[in-house]
Each structure stands twice: as C-alpha cells, then as structure tokens.
Amino acid sequence: MMPGTTLHRLAAQICSAKTLERVVEPAIADLQKEYADAGLRSRLERARILLFGYAGVWEGMAMTALDMSSRADTDRRALLRAFIWGTAVTVCASAMLIALTIAAAPVFAPFYIALLTPMTLPIALPIGLTLGIACGLSRGPVSRLTKRAVLFSAVLVTVVSFSSMAWVKPVANQAFRQSVFNAIGGKGTVVKGLHEMSILELRRAVNMAPRGDVDQTPQRAIWIYQLTFALPLAPLVLAMLALALVAHGARRATVMAMCVAYFGVLMAAEALVYEGLSPVAAAWIPNVLFAGALVYFASSGPPNVQSSLSPA
Amino acid sequence: MDIPKLSRTERLILELLSGEEMFGLQLVEQSKGALKRGTVYVTLGRMQDKGYVESWTEKQSAGAIGLPRRLYRPTAYGLRVLAAWESVARALTRSPKLRHA
C-alpha cells in the first residue's frame, strides 16, 4: 500500500473538499513520489521521508484549521478560550493523578513525574478537552469552523491517548516501579503487572487465560486489554457529545457533569467485572452509552445540533 | 491605489515560480530551508485564492499508482504584483543613498 492512503481516507472525512484538494492531496502526492523515488535507498532514508512527509501533511491540516479560524475573530477567541481551559484542566488533572500516586509511593524523585505522566494522559486529556469545550464554547453560537477545529483536536487527542496507553505507559510504569524498588534497596527485576504489559503481552495473557476461570486475573487482563482500545476513544465521544450539548444550549455545569458521569460509568463497569460482567462489555459500556446519547441529541435536537456532528 | 499585500513567503514563492512551474516539494527544496513542507501547501492555497498562482494536477501515465501531483505557476496578475513589490523594495533601498547624496 502506498504511504498516505489511510491518512488520505481520514482527511476526506474531517477536512473540507477545498482543504483536501489544495493542502492534503498535494502533500500526500509529493510524499508518495518522494517515497517511490527512494525505493533503492536505505531504510533510514525512507523512514526519514515518511516521518517528515506525514508531519508535513498533519502540520498543513492543523495550519488550515487555524487559518480558517482566524477569519473570524469570534471563532478565534472561542477556540483560544477552549484551548487555554483545556490545557489548564489537563495539566491540573494530570498533576492530581501524579500527586496521588507519588503520595502512595515510599520514596520520591523528580523524574517520577515524567514517568507517571503517560499513565495520566488517557484520563486527563478527555477531561481537559471536554471542560475546554464547556468553558470555551458555551458563551455563544458555535460556528462550523470551530466545530471542525474541535473535531480535529479530538481526533489528535485520541491518537495521542492511544499511543500513550498502548506503548508509552507500559514502559514508563515499569520504569517507575523498578526505580522505586531499587530506591528502597530492592535488587533484581520487578515482575511486570498487567498495566505494565504491552499490547502484545496483554494479548498473550488474554489468550492464555483459561475460559470461565474463577480467578480474577484473566478477567482483569481482558479488561485492561479492552480498555487500551476503548478509553482512548473517550476524547472523541465526549468532545462530540459536548459539542452537541453546547449547540443544544446546555450550560457548562451540564457538560462537566456529563464528563464526570462518563468516568463514573467506567468505574461502575470495572466494579461489575468482579461481579461477573463480561470485561469486554464492561470496557465498552461508557462509549456505547455516551455514543447513544450523542445519537439521541443529534436526532432530536435543533438543526444546528445535527450540523455540529457532520465532520466537514 | 493600494498595492495588494504580498508576504515574504509569498514573494519567495512567486520568485521561485517565475522561472518554471514546480511541485510543492520542489519549491521547498529550491528554497533551501526558507519554505517548510508543512506550510507551503497552505500558503500556495491562499495564493490561489488571491489569484497570484494557478495550479493543476499532472497527467499520470497508465498504471501509475498514488495520487497525482499538483503543479503550480504564477498568474500574470501574480507576476505584476511581484514586479510592483520589487520596484517598491528597490525604491526604498535607494532612497537613503539619495538622501545622503
């Protein structure tokens, strides 16, 4: 498959026809040509072409979103407000989760903050994004351009969240545990827990788990494995629902309550796993419920709600 | 009469394109680091809106895979704006010398 094919398909969903024709397609076409010309060059060179090529396409898409927003001062101010609120809430939520973990650890070193940050992102990012929308965009009507910019941010946050959960968090968590173990005088290697396993290791743990085992560990492995895919979708589901609620005239507090409710449902679902609920169902319950609410608001709301859900 | 606005990047693009039609990536390479591949297509799109450049997709040979590349060239209007800006720039660089003389 030619590089950029999937990105082209994704861009077709989230970008306008003009952006697709003028920014995305020329950038991808140049990337494909450059990559094809580099056929006989080293792997490193081809990887460099892909890295810079993809970064260029994403940067172009982000630039277009910002450029469009700059056409209207009101849009720009609303987006800036949402961005500032979103960033501030994400940092606060992340700091709180880190502080709670560090408080429970017997020792402290400043670099623990860096090691614990990836663990907090899948929770802090959707909270920040949703509250950013609630505080930044609830003051007036939300334009189509602002909705597109928010949707683009939500997709980006989902990608970051998934990358963090699938690859960065397991490594960082294990490094944190090992470091604490060594600091209190422990010797040897700390055995990985389920949260420290990569996707492949988790998959293996899930496949090896005996069916119908009364021991909770296999169930937990399935729960964490499913959560790796389900939780990163939270920013997308919550952002779309927050946009729909804002367009519906909902107050800030309602949007905030919706965000709290999502994590409340997630915690309840986790508790139900121990009562015998399928961990696969439990992990996806919040997304399904809130996607259902989204469909409800889209179909029953005023016309501007429906337009808020159309991607481009 | 106001001269249409022309940013430094837009001027550079028009200067590069005045020699020959080019692809976006060619412009980035020819600019020796002055243009970035993430922003060049956005700027080119904006310049199209202003009527400074025009573009079209290359004809692909049968069996070619991948998306067709987009070629850019300046419009007559774009070249006139560039010429106007160059004459203004020349006049501004000359004026201090004239004052000193």
Short mmCIF file of all heavy atoms in Angstrom, two decimals, chain A residues 222-223 226-234 237-238 241 258 261-294:
data_model
loop_
_atom_site.label_atom_id
_atom_site.label_comp_id
_atom_site.label_asym_id
_atom_site.label_seq_id
_atom_site.Cartn_x
_atom_site.Cartn_y
_atom_site.Cartn_z
N ILE A 222 -8.21 -9.19 30.42
CA ILE A 222 -9.13 -8.86 29.32
C ILE A 222 -9.64 -7.43 29.46
O ILE A 222 -9.70 -6.68 28.49
CB ILE A 222 -10.33 -9.85 29.28
CG1 ILE A 222 -9.82 -11.27 29.09
CG2 ILE A 222 -11.31 -9.49 28.17
CD1 ILE A 222 -10.86 -12.35 29.29
N TRP A 223 -9.96 -7.04 30.70
CA TRP A 223 -10.45 -5.68 30.97
C TRP A 223 -9.41 -4.64 30.55
O TRP A 223 -9.72 -3.69 29.84
CB TRP A 223 -10.79 -5.57 32.47
CG TRP A 223 -10.86 -4.17 33.01
CD1 TRP A 223 -9.89 -3.54 33.74
CD2 TRP A 223 -11.92 -3.22 32.86
NE1 TRP A 223 -10.30 -2.28 34.07
CE2 TRP A 223 -11.53 -2.04 33.54
CE3 TRP A 223 -13.16 -3.25 32.23
CZ2 TRP A 223 -12.33 -0.91 33.59
CZ3 TRP A 223 -13.96 -2.11 32.28
CH2 TRP A 223 -13.55 -0.96 32.95
N GLN A 226 -8.96 -4.57 26.71
CA GLN A 226 -10.06 -3.87 26.03
C GLN A 226 -10.02 -2.37 26.30
O GLN A 226 -10.33 -1.56 25.42
CB GLN A 226 -11.41 -4.44 26.51
CG GLN A 226 -11.69 -5.84 26.03
CD GLN A 226 -11.83 -5.92 24.51
OE1 GLN A 226 -12.29 -5.01 23.86
NE2 GLN A 226 -11.40 -7.05 23.93
N LEU A 227 -9.62 -2.02 27.53
CA LEU A 227 -9.56 -0.61 27.91
C LEU A 227 -8.51 0.15 27.08
O LEU A 227 -8.68 1.35 26.82
CB LEU A 227 -9.22 -0.50 29.41
CG LEU A 227 -9.80 0.70 30.15
CD1 LEU A 227 -11.31 0.71 30.07
CD2 LEU A 227 -9.34 0.71 31.59
N THR A 228 -7.46 -0.57 26.67
CA THR A 228 -6.42 0.06 25.84
C THR A 228 -7.03 0.61 24.55
O THR A 228 -6.55 1.59 23.98
CB THR A 228 -5.33 -0.97 25.50
OG1 THR A 228 -4.91 -1.58 26.72
CG2 THR A 228 -4.13 -0.35 24.82
N PHE A 229 -8.09 -0.03 24.07
CA PHE A 229 -8.73 0.44 22.83
C PHE A 229 -9.94 1.34 23.12
O PHE A 229 -10.21 2.27 22.37
CB PHE A 229 -9.19 -0.77 21.99
CG PHE A 229 -8.05 -1.63 21.54
CD1 PHE A 229 -7.67 -2.75 22.28
CD2 PHE A 229 -7.31 -1.30 20.42
CE1 PHE A 229 -6.60 -3.53 21.88
CE2 PHE A 229 -6.23 -2.08 20.02
CZ PHE A 229 -5.87 -3.20 20.75
N ALA A 230 -10.65 1.03 24.21
CA ALA A 230 -11.90 1.75 24.48
C ALA A 230 -11.65 3.14 25.08
O ALA A 230 -12.28 4.11 24.67
CB ALA A 230 -12.78 0.93 25.42
N LEU A 231 -10.72 3.23 26.05
CA LEU A 231 -10.52 4.51 26.74
C LEU A 231 -9.99 5.62 25.82
O LEU A 231 -10.44 6.78 25.94
CB LEU A 231 -9.60 4.31 27.96
CG LEU A 231 -9.52 5.48 28.94
CD1 LEU A 231 -10.89 5.87 29.45
CD2 LEU A 231 -8.60 5.16 30.10
N PRO A 232 -9.06 5.33 24.89
CA PRO A 232 -8.61 6.42 24.01
C PRO A 232 -9.72 7.00 23.13
O PRO A 232 -9.56 8.08 22.58
CB PRO A 232 -7.54 5.74 23.14
CG PRO A 232 -7.03 4.63 23.98
CD PRO A 232 -8.23 4.13 24.71
N LEU A 233 -10.85 6.29 23.00
CA LEU A 233 -11.96 6.84 22.22
C LEU A 233 -12.79 7.84 23.02
O LEU A 233 -13.63 8.55 22.46
CB LEU A 233 -12.87 5.72 21.71
CG LEU A 233 -12.32 4.92 20.53
CD1 LEU A 233 -13.26 3.77 20.21
CD2 LEU A 233 -12.15 5.80 19.30
N ALA A 234 -12.53 7.89 24.34
CA ALA A 234 -13.29 8.80 25.21
C ALA A 234 -13.22 10.26 24.74
O ALA A 234 -14.25 10.94 24.70
CB ALA A 234 -12.81 8.68 26.66
N VAL A 237 -15.66 10.67 21.74
CA VAL A 237 -17.08 10.54 22.12
C VAL A 237 -17.50 11.75 22.96
O VAL A 237 -18.53 12.39 22.70
CB VAL A 237 -17.31 9.22 22.90
CG1 VAL A 237 -18.74 9.13 23.42
CG2 VAL A 237 -17.00 8.03 22.02
N LEU A 238 -16.66 12.08 23.98
CA LEU A 238 -17.02 13.18 24.88
C LEU A 238 -17.00 14.53 24.17
O LEU A 238 -17.88 15.37 24.41
CB LEU A 238 -16.07 13.20 26.09
CG LEU A 238 -16.24 12.06 27.09
CD1 LEU A 238 -15.18 12.13 28.18
CD2 LEU A 238 -17.61 12.09 27.74
N LEU A 241 -20.11 14.77 22.01
CA LEU A 241 -21.31 14.94 22.84
C LEU A 241 -21.32 16.34 23.46
O LEU A 241 -22.37 16.99 23.53
CB LEU A 241 -21.35 13.85 23.92
CG LEU A 241 -22.61 13.79 24.76
CD1 LEU A 241 -23.87 13.70 23.92
CD2 LEU A 241 -22.56 12.58 25.72
N MET A 258 -21.60 15.66 32.54
CA MET A 258 -21.56 14.57 31.55
C MET A 258 -20.18 13.91 31.56
O MET A 258 -20.05 12.69 31.51
CB MET A 258 -21.88 15.18 30.18
CG MET A 258 -21.88 14.25 29.01
SD MET A 258 -20.29 14.15 28.17
CE MET A 258 -20.10 15.77 27.51
N ALA A 261 -19.83 11.90 34.66
CA ALA A 261 -20.68 10.71 34.53
C ALA A 261 -19.97 9.61 33.71
O ALA A 261 -20.07 8.43 34.02
CB ALA A 261 -22.01 11.08 33.87
N TYR A 262 -19.24 10.03 32.66
CA TYR A 262 -18.53 9.05 31.82
C TYR A 262 -17.58 8.21 32.68
O TYR A 262 -17.59 6.97 32.63
CB TYR A 262 -17.76 9.78 30.71
CG TYR A 262 -17.01 8.83 29.79
CD1 TYR A 262 -17.59 8.39 28.60
CD2 TYR A 262 -15.74 8.36 30.11
CE1 TYR A 262 -16.93 7.51 27.77
CE2 TYR A 262 -15.07 7.48 29.28
CZ TYR A 262 -15.66 7.06 28.12
OH TYR A 262 -14.99 6.18 27.28
N PHE A 263 -16.79 8.92 33.51
CA PHE A 263 -15.81 8.19 34.31
C PHE A 263 -16.50 7.44 35.46
O PHE A 263 -16.00 6.41 35.92
CB PHE A 263 -14.71 9.13 34.80
CG PHE A 263 -13.80 9.53 33.66
CD1 PHE A 263 -13.96 10.73 33.01
CD2 PHE A 263 -12.83 8.65 33.20
CE1 PHE A 263 -13.16 11.08 31.93
CE2 PHE A 263 -12.02 8.98 32.13
CZ PHE A 263 -12.19 10.20 31.49
N GLY A 264 -17.64 7.95 35.90
CA GLY A 264 -18.43 7.25 36.91
C GLY A 264 -18.92 5.91 36.35
O GLY A 264 -18.81 4.86 37.02
N VAL A 265 -19.43 5.95 35.12
CA VAL A 265 -19.91 4.72 34.47
C VAL A 265 -18.74 3.75 34.27
O VAL A 265 -18.87 2.54 34.48
CB VAL A 265 -20.59 5.06 33.10
CG1 VAL A 265 -20.90 3.80 32.32
CG2 VAL A 265 -21.85 5.86 33.32
N LEU A 266 -17.59 4.30 33.89
CA LEU A 266 -16.40 3.45 33.68
C LEU A 266 -16.00 2.74 34.97
O LEU A 266 -15.71 1.53 34.98
CB LEU A 266 -15.24 4.31 33.16
CG LEU A 266 -14.01 3.56 32.68
CD1 LEU A 266 -14.31 2.83 31.37
CD2 LEU A 266 -12.85 4.51 32.45
N MET A 267 -16.03 3.48 36.08
CA MET A 267 -15.65 2.88 37.37
C MET A 267 -16.68 1.84 37.80
O MET A 267 -16.32 0.77 38.32
CB MET A 267 -15.52 3.97 38.45
CG MET A 267 -14.23 4.78 38.30
SD MET A 267 -14.27 6.31 39.22
CE MET A 267 -14.06 5.71 40.88
N ALA A 268 -17.96 2.14 37.56
CA ALA A 268 -19.02 1.19 37.90
C ALA A 268 -18.87 -0.09 37.07
O ALA A 268 -19.03 -1.20 37.58
CB ALA A 268 -20.38 1.83 37.67
N ALA A 269 -18.55 0.12 35.79
CA ALA A 269 -18.39 -1.04 34.90
C ALA A 269 -17.23 -1.92 35.36
O ALA A 269 -17.32 -3.15 35.34
CB ALA A 269 -18.16 -0.56 33.47
N GLU A 270 -16.15 -1.27 35.81
CA GLU A 270 -14.99 -2.03 36.30
C GLU A 270 -15.38 -2.85 37.54
O GLU A 270 -15.00 -4.02 37.67
CB GLU A 270 -13.83 -1.09 36.63
CG GLU A 270 -12.56 -1.85 37.04
CD GLU A 270 -11.40 -0.94 37.35
OE1 GLU A 270 -11.59 0.28 37.42
OE2 GLU A 270 -10.28 -1.48 37.52
N ALA A 271 -16.16 -2.21 38.42
CA ALA A 271 -16.60 -2.91 39.63
C ALA A 271 -17.47 -4.12 39.26
O ALA A 271 -17.40 -5.17 39.90
CB ALA A 271 -17.37 -1.96 40.54
N LEU A 272 -18.29 -3.95 38.20
CA LEU A 272 -19.19 -5.03 37.79
C LEU A 272 -18.44 -6.23 37.19
O LEU A 272 -18.97 -7.34 37.15
CB LEU A 272 -20.24 -4.51 36.80
CG LEU A 272 -21.33 -3.64 37.41
CD1 LEU A 272 -22.22 -3.05 36.33
CD2 LEU A 272 -22.18 -4.45 38.39
N VAL A 273 -17.22 -5.98 36.73
CA VAL A 273 -16.41 -7.09 36.20
C VAL A 273 -16.18 -8.13 37.30
O VAL A 273 -16.22 -9.34 37.06
CB VAL A 273 -15.06 -6.57 35.64
CG1 VAL A 273 -14.11 -7.72 35.30
CG2 VAL A 273 -15.30 -5.71 34.41
N TYR A 274 -15.97 -7.62 38.53
CA TYR A 274 -15.76 -8.53 39.67
C TYR A 274 -17.04 -9.26 40.07
O TYR A 274 -17.00 -10.24 40.79
CB TYR A 274 -15.20 -7.74 40.87
CG TYR A 274 -13.83 -7.20 40.59
CD1 TYR A 274 -13.67 -5.89 40.16
CD2 TYR A 274 -12.68 -8.00 40.72
CE1 TYR A 274 -12.41 -5.38 39.88
CE2 TYR A 274 -11.43 -7.50 40.44
CZ TYR A 274 -11.30 -6.21 40.02
OH TYR A 274 -10.05 -5.72 39.73
N GLU A 275 -18.17 -8.73 39.60
CA GLU A 275 -19.47 -9.37 39.91
C GLU A 275 -19.90 -10.32 38.79
O GLU A 275 -21.01 -10.82 38.79
CB GLU A 275 -20.55 -8.29 40.10
CG GLU A 275 -20.26 -7.29 41.21
CD GLU A 275 -20.13 -7.93 42.58
OE1 GLU A 275 -20.88 -8.89 42.87
OE2 GLU A 275 -19.24 -7.50 43.35
N GLY A 276 -19.03 -10.47 37.79
CA GLY A 276 -19.33 -11.44 36.74
C GLY A 276 -19.66 -10.86 35.38
O GLY A 276 -19.89 -11.60 34.43
N LEU A 277 -19.68 -9.52 35.27
CA LEU A 277 -19.97 -8.91 33.96
C LEU A 277 -18.78 -9.15 33.02
O LEU A 277 -17.62 -9.13 33.46
CB LEU A 277 -20.19 -7.40 34.13
CG LEU A 277 -20.48 -6.61 32.85
CD1 LEU A 277 -21.84 -6.98 32.26
CD2 LEU A 277 -20.45 -5.10 33.13
N SER A 278 -19.08 -9.40 31.76
CA SER A 278 -18.01 -9.63 30.78
C SER A 278 -17.12 -8.39 30.71
O SER A 278 -17.60 -7.28 30.52
CB SER A 278 -18.63 -9.90 29.41
OG SER A 278 -17.73 -9.51 28.40
N PRO A 279 -15.79 -8.57 30.85
CA PRO A 279 -14.89 -7.40 30.81
C PRO A 279 -14.91 -6.69 29.46
O PRO A 279 -14.68 -5.49 29.38
CB PRO A 279 -13.51 -7.98 31.10
CG PRO A 279 -13.63 -9.45 30.98
CD PRO A 279 -15.07 -9.82 31.13
N VAL A 280 -15.21 -7.45 28.39
CA VAL A 280 -15.30 -6.83 27.06
C VAL A 280 -16.46 -5.85 27.04
O VAL A 280 -16.32 -4.69 26.64
CB VAL A 280 -15.48 -7.91 25.95
CG1 VAL A 280 -15.55 -7.27 24.58
CG2 VAL A 280 -14.37 -8.94 26.02
N ALA A 281 -17.62 -6.32 27.52
CA ALA A 281 -18.81 -5.45 27.56
C ALA A 281 -18.55 -4.27 28.49
O ALA A 281 -18.87 -3.13 28.15
CB ALA A 281 -20.02 -6.26 28.04
N ALA A 282 -17.95 -4.56 29.66
CA ALA A 282 -17.73 -3.51 30.66
C ALA A 282 -16.87 -2.37 30.10
O ALA A 282 -17.17 -1.19 30.33
CB ALA A 282 -17.09 -4.09 31.90
N ALA A 283 -15.81 -2.76 29.38
CA ALA A 283 -14.89 -1.73 28.87
C ALA A 283 -15.56 -0.81 27.85
O ALA A 283 -15.21 0.36 27.74
CB ALA A 283 -13.66 -2.40 28.26
N TRP A 284 -16.51 -1.37 27.09
CA TRP A 284 -17.12 -0.58 26.02
C TRP A 284 -18.44 0.08 26.42
O TRP A 284 -18.98 0.89 25.65
CB TRP A 284 -17.32 -1.46 24.78
CG TRP A 284 -16.00 -1.79 24.15
CD1 TRP A 284 -15.25 -2.90 24.37
CD2 TRP A 284 -15.24 -0.97 23.24
NE1 TRP A 284 -14.07 -2.85 23.66
CE2 TRP A 284 -14.05 -1.66 22.95
CE3 TRP A 284 -15.45 0.27 22.64
CZ2 TRP A 284 -13.07 -1.16 22.09
CZ3 TRP A 284 -14.48 0.78 21.79
CH2 TRP A 284 -13.31 0.06 21.53
N ILE A 285 -18.96 -0.26 27.62
CA ILE A 285 -20.25 0.30 28.06
C ILE A 285 -20.28 1.84 28.03
O ILE A 285 -21.19 2.43 27.45
CB ILE A 285 -20.65 -0.24 29.46
CG1 ILE A 285 -21.31 -1.62 29.30
CG2 ILE A 285 -21.61 0.70 30.19
CD1 ILE A 285 -21.63 -2.31 30.62
N PRO A 286 -19.25 2.53 28.62
CA PRO A 286 -19.33 4.00 28.60
C PRO A 286 -19.40 4.58 27.19
O PRO A 286 -20.21 5.46 26.92
CB PRO A 286 -18.03 4.43 29.30
CG PRO A 286 -17.62 3.25 30.10
CD PRO A 286 -18.07 2.05 29.35
N ASN A 287 -18.55 4.06 26.28
CA ASN A 287 -18.56 4.59 24.90
C ASN A 287 -19.90 4.34 24.23
O ASN A 287 -20.43 5.22 23.54
CB ASN A 287 -17.45 3.94 24.08
CG ASN A 287 -16.08 4.50 24.44
OD1 ASN A 287 -15.97 5.54 25.06
ND2 ASN A 287 -15.04 3.78 24.08
N VAL A 288 -20.44 3.15 24.43
CA VAL A 288 -21.73 2.81 23.79
C VAL A 288 -22.83 3.70 24.34
O VAL A 288 -23.63 4.28 23.58
CB VAL A 288 -22.05 1.31 23.99
CG1 VAL A 288 -23.46 0.98 23.51
CG2 VAL A 288 -21.04 0.45 23.25
N LEU A 289 -22.87 3.85 25.68
CA LEU A 289 -23.91 4.67 26.32
C LEU A 289 -23.85 6.12 25.84
O LEU A 289 -24.86 6.71 25.47
CB LEU A 289 -23.73 4.64 27.84
CG LEU A 289 -24.40 3.51 28.61
CD1 LEU A 289 -24.14 3.70 30.10
CD2 LEU A 289 -25.91 3.51 28.37
N PHE A 290 -22.63 6.67 25.85
CA PHE A 290 -22.49 8.08 25.50
C PHE A 290 -22.63 8.30 24.00
O PHE A 290 -23.09 9.36 23.58
CB PHE A 290 -21.18 8.65 26.07
CG PHE A 290 -21.29 8.93 27.54
CD1 PHE A 290 -21.29 7.89 28.47
CD2 PHE A 290 -21.45 10.22 28.02
CE1 PHE A 290 -21.43 8.12 29.83
CE2 PHE A 290 -21.59 10.47 29.37
CZ PHE A 290 -21.58 9.41 30.28
N ALA A 291 -22.26 7.31 23.20
CA ALA A 291 -22.49 7.42 21.75
C ALA A 291 -24.00 7.38 21.49
O ALA A 291 -24.51 8.08 20.60
CB ALA A 291 -21.78 6.30 21.01
N GLY A 292 -24.71 6.59 22.30
CA GLY A 292 -26.18 6.54 22.20
C GLY A 292 -26.79 7.89 22.52
O GLY A 292 -27.69 8.36 21.81
N ALA A 293 -26.26 8.53 23.58
CA ALA A 293 -26.74 9.87 23.95
C ALA A 293 -26.47 10.85 22.82
O ALA A 293 -27.30 11.72 22.52
CB ALA A 293 -26.05 10.34 25.22
N LEU A 294 -25.33 10.69 22.19
CA LEU A 294 -24.95 11.55 21.06
C LEU A 294 -25.96 11.41 19.91
O LEU A 294 -26.43 12.42 19.36
CB LEU A 294 -23.55 11.15 20.59
CG LEU A 294 -22.95 11.89 19.41
CD1 LEU A 294 -22.73 13.35 19.74
CD2 LEU A 294 -21.62 11.24 19.03
#
